[in-house]
Amino acid sequence: MSESLPLSLIVITRDAAHELAECLASAPFAAEAVVVDSGSSDDTVAVAARCGARVIPHPWEGYGAQKNFAVGQARHDWVLCVDADERVTPELAAAIAALFARGSPAAAAYAVARRNRFLGRWLAHGEGYPDWNVRLFDRRRARWTDDPVHEHVVATGPVVRLAGDLKHASAESLEAYIAKQNRYTTLQAQAMHARGERAGALVVAASPLARFFRFYVVKLGFLDGVAGFAHIAIGAFASFLKYAKLRALASRGEE
């Protein structure tokens, strides 16, 4: 496309030098790119500047709050939020361009099908695809939740699904992925405990089983082979960890 679109590309970063350039290059249609960095020790800031992005340093506040801060720095009300290890496919770029070709998009927000790569394979079923996420939205009618992890966009108005994929091309090791699930479930359990939520023994036991059955059987995750099995099994174990940690927090409070 020859003309830029009146939207801001938003990326939050920390130590993402090895993947940021490809991320920014996948969305050349955005009128501007905003990178909010929370103290990278590698060349992330230099890479962002070299790619023409506007770089804003900001201390880490948690995923939801950090993304809301970044959205607030945009020069346009329409924003496209992506992670440094994600790539906008040509099909998704064309769908976004078609929205603006008709003037300002009608919906408040648009969801995209995120496709995850795991153990070297692009997943096509289960939790891995289509992993619908709202990423394009009018910040006057939508915003990120303030959740410290597993944040999502809430909109005042209709949300429409777009054609084309957002590829999640994570290159992290299996060890790093599992460590991240451990960190995330701790944050989730702490947030749930702060809201007064509790988990009974049945929830702790049944939640991982239900999650595995839903994504491996109902959502056909078994068709993704070993990679699909491992992805869903880790997700089910993460569900167990979240509720087990929540139960542990409650038990400490009762001592």
Side-chain angles (χ1 to χ4, degrees):
M1 57 197 73
S2 57
E3 296 183 2
S4 62
L5 304 179
L7 65 84
S8 298
L9 177 69
I10 306 294
V11 188
I12 63 170
T13 59
R14 184 172 182 179
D15 296 335
H18 63 291
E19 54 198 4
L20 182 59
E22 190 174 346
C23 169
L24 297 175
S26 74
F29 51 82
E32 69 160 351
V34 178
V35 173
V36 173
D37 187 76
S38 56
S40 289
S41 58
D42 64 4
D43 293 332
T44 296
V45 171
V47 170
R50 193 159 57 242
C51 291
R54 181 158 53 94
V55 183
I56 302 169
H58 187 71
W60 182 249
E61 296 187 71
Y63 286 97
Q66 193 79 355
K67 288 183 178 180
N68 277 326
F69 171 83
V71 167
Q73 309 312 302
R75 292 177 177 145
H76 297 274
D77 287 322
W78 277 96
V79 295
L80 174 63
C81 298
V82 300
D83 294 335
D85 60 356
E86 294 175 337
R87 313 285 181 259
V88 177
T89 61
E91 295 78 13
L92 178 56
I96 293 173
L99 287 176
F100 286 88
R102 299 189 292 268
S104 182
Y110 293 85
V112 300
R114 193 169 77 148
R115 186 166 190 173
N116 295 284
R117 186 175 67 189
F118 192 73
L119 295 182
R121 175 169 179 165
W122 287 106
L123 302 179
H125 307 90
E127 291 184 85
Y129 185 78
D131 180 14
W132 289 102
N133 280 258
V134 174
R135 295 301 187 85
L136 175 67
F137 59 91
D138 181 348
R139 65 179 179 181
R140 296 165 297 184
R141 295 183 287 166
R143 68 184 303 276
W144 290 97
T145 62
D146 288 322
D147 298 312
V149 66
H150 291 317
E151 71 291 347
H152 59 279
V153 174
V154 291
T156 304
V159 176
V160 175
R161 290 181 173 182
L162 281 178
D165 294 343
L166 179 67
K167 287 193 170 182
H168 181 212
S170 177
E172 65 185 347
S173 66
L174 184 60
E175 292 83 0
Y177 181 76
I178 292 172
K180 182 172 69 175
Q181 299 308 307
N182 191 35
R183 293 195 306 273
Y184 282 9
T185 54
T186 295
L187 291 171
Q188 284 181 289
Q190 290 171 343
M192 294 167 71
H193 184 261
R195 293 194 297 265
E197 297 182 40
R198 297 295 181 265
L202 181 60
V203 171
V204 175
S207 176
L209 297 175
R211 180 168 177 167
F212 185 86
F213 181 79
R214 177 189 176 194
F215 289 111
Y216 194 70
V217 179
V218 179
K219 297 292 185 178
L220 306 180
F222 64 89
L223 294 176
D224 283 325
V226 173
F229 175 82
H231 190 256
I232 295 168
I234 293 171
F237 184 60
S239 183
F240 164 77
L241 286 178
K242 176 179 66 176
Y243 288 112
K245 289 176 181 181
L246 176 59
R247 191 170 176 86
L249 288 172
S251 298
R252 289 176 200 165
E254 294 168 0
E255 292 177 354

